Amino acid sequence: RILPFNGQPFGQQQAPPKPPAAPQFQSFQQPGGPAPPQPGFQPGPPQPGFQPGPPQQPGAPPGPGRSPGMQGQPGPPGPGAAPGQGQFAEAVDLSVQVPSRILRMTSTHVPATASMGLGAKVPLGAVIRPLAPCGPDEDDVPVVQPGQAGIVRCKRCRTYINAFVNWLENGRRWRCNICTQINDTSAPYFCHLDSDGNRRDRDHRPELSEGVVEFVAPSEYMVRPPQPPSYFFVIDVSAGAVQSGVLASVASAIRNSLDDLPGSPRTQVGFLTYDDGVHYYSMKSGLKAPQMLVVADLIELFVPAPDDLLVNLQDSREVVDVFLENLPTMFAGNRSARSCLGSALKAAFTVTKHIGGKMCVFQSTLPTLGDGALVPRENPSLMGTPDEIKLLRPGTNWYKETAVEFSRAQISVDMFLFPRSYIDVASLGELPKVTAGTLRTYPGFHPGTDGPRFESELERALVQYTAFEAVMRIRCTKGMRITNFYGNFFV
């Protein structure tokens, strides 16, 4: 049997025969269960549940194992069922859907049994975008403010209360739609059921009537209080970046985005430039112009005046504007063509590790100094041979190891590359990949043709919806498991 997949758990859940057959097919979680986890959530691991069965349509007569007035109760096995194979029948509202902008499956049908999945040999996948912006005709995701009962979750698998749980005993208990665990309803959350077996307050609770909701996380779900949004810019000011016009475009794009940065008035910003040395900028409120501090020793690198390098944007806005306006001319006469990107990243990490946030890195040449120094690996003779794959792998583990440290400190890196020669994207790309950032390249950058596109993409990266210190959990029912993840994140 091939059953339609509409973005919700199926209505009829069927227990596996004994001994249970090992799941053989692969899939992603069926949507409609828990809402996307909020920053700081610590959900538990998925627990075994039941394989999905065919849905029971609303208003349909009772099926095998279901007696009138006994919705959701186990009954005797139906025709063709194995001995001891109980069934749970429940009505499912198929009108509750997850918006396709948030979750889209690669197939509209899923196998009903493990053996069918093994025979079909069709892998299932899903594209998940928890913070996808709304379209012109779409509604925002409803926000749920937990009441006295807190956030209601399954005591076994920690699934959040949702529109597809089954209510029992006139609302005093409910069965989890992921693992079938029966949970007690707390007194503050209790409500009587109507004649259809639904809660009378269903239309007034988005978590019971919508396919996706957001819960406002209470303090027990947070590792630490929400930090101010932080944006730190690490800018290459070597001769190549200045002469190609990259530096001027970077300063212009950042300046145009300051008014729209999220989190005002708590937003914090900081700047660091580098060529063959690292340049810090103190932008303490009250200064008429930023103070530049240069550290040329890349071996014993230290951070001077650490309290003034990451400042409140609203308090230091005049100093920031002066810095961005003068940045292109400050290094107009720079003749250094070398880059110490690794040392600059270590310095930026020291400044921002206490707060986390977003880091934007702008690189124009192959880094050859300090930590993370790279050497040209381009070899045309390997093109078209089996050894070509070696050129697409990182030449060093330094950037991946550094990225893991950044991820643990809640720092996400967006990297913008402007190469005019070999720059080893395979190695540098590990930094945004592991830290849930993005990588964009502009080969042979020209201000007239590439400048507007770059500035537009940078502005969007800065002002788009951003989740800071977020954890994502995907739960699957028994018979489904996730085998691969694709995207930029640290697992």
Side-chain angles (χ1 to χ4, degrees):
R1 292 174 298 167
I2 298 296
L3 305 178
F5 181 79
N6 294 288
Q8 302 89 1
F10 291 91
Q12 187 174 16
Q13 298 183 349
Q14 186 171 0
K18 298 180 180 180
Q24 299 295 332
F25 63 95
Q26 305 168 3
S27 175
F28 283 81
Q29 174 192 359
Q30 302 175 36
Q38 299 301 308
F41 280 18
Q42 298 295 334
Q47 300 292 329
F50 281 75
Q51 294 185 10
Q56 178 76 24
Q57 299 296 335
R66 182 184 181 195
S67 302
M70 296 295 292
Q71 179 181 10
Q73 298 298 324
Q85 187 176 12
Q87 294 182 344
F88 295 101
E90 55 186 335
V92 175
D93 186 0
L94 299 180
S95 65
V96 180
Q97 298 283 325
V98 176
S100 59
R101 73 177 190 275
I102 295 178
L103 187 147
R104 176 171 293 183
M105 301 289 293
T106 58
S107 174
T108 57
H109 294 73
V110 296
T113 63
S115 59
M116 182 177 293
L118 180 63
K121 300 185 183 301
V122 177
L124 302 179
V127 178
I128 304 176
R129 302 173 62 206
L131 297 179
C134 297
D137 299 327
E138 296 179 323
D139 297 329
D140 289 334
V141 175
V143 178
V144 178
Q145 180 70 48
Q148 184 179 356
I151 299 179
V152 181
R153 302 177 66 180
C154 175
K155 62 184 179 182
R156 177 195 289 173
C157 70
R158 307 304 294 162
T159 290
Y160 298 88
I161 193 74
N162 59 82
F164 307 103
V165 302
N166 185 221
W167 296 96
L168 309 171
E169 301 179 12
N170 198 27
R172 293 180 178 85
R173 307 177 80 185
W174 58 276
R175 179 183 291 111
C176 176
N177 59 307
I178 298 296
C179 70
T180 71
Q181 171 70 28
I182 295 180
N183 302 269
D184 294 328
T185 304
S186 61
Y189 201 75
F190 173 78
C191 180
H192 290 284
L193 305 184
D194 58 19
S195 58
D196 295 327
N198 297 319
R199 284 173 57 113
R200 297 183 183 274
D201 63 348
R202 178 187 179 190
D203 295 334
H204 302 287
R205 289 187 178 273
E207 70 271 24
L208 301 180
S209 58
E210 300 289 342
V212 54
V213 296
E214 289 188 10
F215 290 96
V216 178
S219 58
E220 57 264 26
Y221 283 82
M222 304 178 188
V223 177
R224 61 180 180 178
Q227 302 297 302
S230 170
Y231 295 84
F232 200 81
F233 302 92
V234 182
I235 306 172
D236 179 9
V237 293
S238 61
V242 176
Q243 297 170 5
S244 63
V246 170
L247 187 58
S249 294
V250 169
S252 175
I254 296 175
R255 185 169 61 249
N256 295 335
S257 304
L258 291 179
D259 292 331
D260 298 323
L261 290 181
S264 180
R266 303 172 66 226
T267 307
Q268 296 188 358
V269 297
F271 298 87
L272 183 148
T273 60
Y274 63 97
D275 43 21
D276 55 1
V278 179
H279 319 134
Y280 301 90
Y281 297 90
S282 175
M283 298 185 180
K284 188 176 181 179
S285 176
L287 295 177
K288 295 182 178 180
Q291 297 177 348
M292 181 177 177
L293 310 171
V294 181
V295 177
D297 188 352
L298 304 182
I299 299 177
E300 297 182 1
L301 191 67
F302 67 96
V303 179
D307 296 336
D308 301 331
L309 302 179
L310 193 63
V311 296
N312 182 276
L313 176 60
Q314 182 173 337
D315 296 340
S316 303
R317 180 59 184 270
E318 294 182 1
V319 184
V320 173
D321 287 338
V322 171
F323 169 75
L324 293 174
E325 183 178 354
N326 297 328
L327 182 59
T329 59
M330 288 171 58
F331 298 93
N334 190 7
R335 295 293 181 265
S336 176
R338 298 186 297 175
S339 167
C340 61
L341 173 61
S343 300
L345 291 174
K346 289 181 61 178
F349 175 76
T350 303
V351 175
T352 60
K353 63 181 180 181
H354 70 285
I355 193 173
K358 181 183 286 290
M359 183 182 299
C360 296
V361 178
F362 307 91
Q363 177 71 17
S364 299
T365 185
L366 185 72
T368 57
L369 296 176
D371 295 324
L374 300 173
V375 296
R377 297 189 297 132
E378 190 174 21
N379 189 351
S381 64
L382 297 181
M383 299 299 179
T385 68
D387 292 334
E388 182 181 356
I389 188 65
K390 297 179 180 180
L391 303 179
L392 304 179
R393 295 171 179 166
T396 176
N397 291 328
W398 188 89
Y399 288 94
K400 183 175 182 179
E401 294 171 354
T402 301
V404 171
E405 294 183 15
F406 276 46
S407 179
R408 291 171 177 167
Q410 312 294 344
I411 300 174
S412 176
V413 178
D414 287 345
M415 180 169 283
F416 301 83
L417 302 180
F418 309 88
R420 292 188 173 274
S421 59
Y422 181 78
I423 200 173
D424 200 351
V425 178
S427 297
L428 298 178
E430 291 293 307
L431 198 59
K433 179 180 179 180
V434 176
T435 61
T438 58
L439 173 66
R440 294 181 174 87
T441 59
Y442 307 86
F445 180 85
H446 188 277
T449 57
D450 300 318
R453 178 171 69 94
F454 159 67
E455 294 183 19
S456 175
E457 292 179 347
L458 176 57
E459 291 177 17
R460 182 181 183 278
L462 294 176
V463 304
Q464 67 182 353
Y465 289 110
T466 304
F468 294 89
E469 302 190 15
V471 177
M472 185 174 184
R473 294 281 192 270
I474 302 176
R475 292 181 175 85
C476 297
T477 57
K478 186 178 181 181
M480 297 183 181
R481 62 188 179 93
I482 299 176
T483 58
N484 290 295
F485 300 86
Y486 301 95
N488 289 2
F489 41 73
F490 177 60
V491 179

